[in-house]
Amino acid sequence: MTTITPLAIPEVLLITPKRHGDARGWFTETWSRRAFVEAGLDVDFVQDNQAFNAKAGTVRGLHFQTAPHAQAKLVRVLRGAIFDVAVDVRQGSPTFGQWVGAELTADGGEQLFVPRGFAHGYATLVDGVELAYKVDGLYAPQCEGGVIWNDPDLAIDWRIDAANAITSDKDKVLPRLKDMAPVAF
């Protein structure tokens, strides 16, 4: 039985699939359309993505896509550990500008469901992190958006040494949330 736990922003879900193990190892169902629908999540995933991060302290995000190509994500770690973060960027939402996060590990098998309208990012907690995530909308560069990962108004505790964070040039110039133009999801 998969355990689905709403976080402090209840649309963001921590999902922990049950593992069935024996002397050989273990087996788990990482995604089941039936289980998601039974839990009230009717999501049609259309693309799987995979990322590798060589060094601990790597930060990717905070990213989102806008309408008509908004994306929900289901994120899991294949190797290592991350601190995964979702920020509500839906104008008018009662939780606008708030963030939630969860540690996801390969050993634990936890997953984070990030709905449309949330910026997503993560920090690697160890070297050699590999993760996979499903999205319910195809990649559309013209619909890309983001918020700078170290926005002081968000005050995200990334669980890493922020002074030595490894980020992309693109992520270093994303706007603060307060400077972001309103977007539709």
Side-chain angles (χ1 to χ4, degrees):
M1 178 55 118
T2 295
T3 303
I4 300 176
T5 307
L7 297 183
I9 300 174
E11 298 95 334
V12 181
L13 305 172
L14 184 64
I15 300 169
T16 308
K18 181 177 177 150
R19 289 184 173 175
H20 307 277
D22 59 25
R24 300 168 295 168
W26 53 263
F27 170 84
T28 190
E29 209 173 69
T30 59
W31 179 77
S32 163
R33 181 162 183 72
R34 178 178 58 205
F36 264 55
V37 169
E38 288 173 2
L41 293 167
D42 191 6
V43 181
D44 183 20
F45 292 115
V46 297
Q47 180 175 309
D48 283 355
N49 300 321
Q50 190 165 342
F52 172 75
N53 303 273
K55 297 290 184 188
T58 298
V59 177
R60 293 189 188 249
L62 297 158
H63 305 141
F64 57 83
Q65 282 194 182
T66 60
H69 299 287
Q71 292 179 328
K73 298 177 181 177
L74 180 62
V75 183
R76 66 187 172 101
V77 173
L78 304 173
R79 181 174 39 162
I82 64 172
F83 186 65
D84 208 18
V85 173
V87 178
D88 188 348
V89 294
R90 301 170 298 170
Q91 294 283 334
S93 165
T95 56
F96 176 79
Q98 295 179 28
W99 67 272
V100 292
E103 187 171 318
L104 306 182
T105 66
D107 289 343
E110 309 87 0
Q111 300 180 71
L112 195 67
F113 177 74
V114 181
R116 292 174 178 209
F118 285 75
H120 171 256
Y122 63 88
T124 59
L125 303 177
V126 297
D127 290 345
V129 171
E130 193 170 348
L131 63 132
Y133 57 99
K134 298 181 162 309
V135 293
D136 73 343
L138 296 174
Y139 174 66
Q142 72 276 18
C143 295
E144 282 183 313
V147 175
I148 192 141
W149 69 276
N150 59 354
D151 185 331
D153 296 326
L154 297 177
I156 297 170
D157 176 5
W158 288 98
R159 300 187 182 175
I160 62 166
D161 176 9
N164 294 312
I166 302 164
T167 61
S168 71
D169 290 341
K170 181 178 170 181
D171 287 352
K172 288 177 183 173
V173 297
L174 290 171
R176 290 175 62 174
L177 182 62
K178 72 179 186 178
D179 298 328
M180 189 178 82
V183 295
F185 296 100

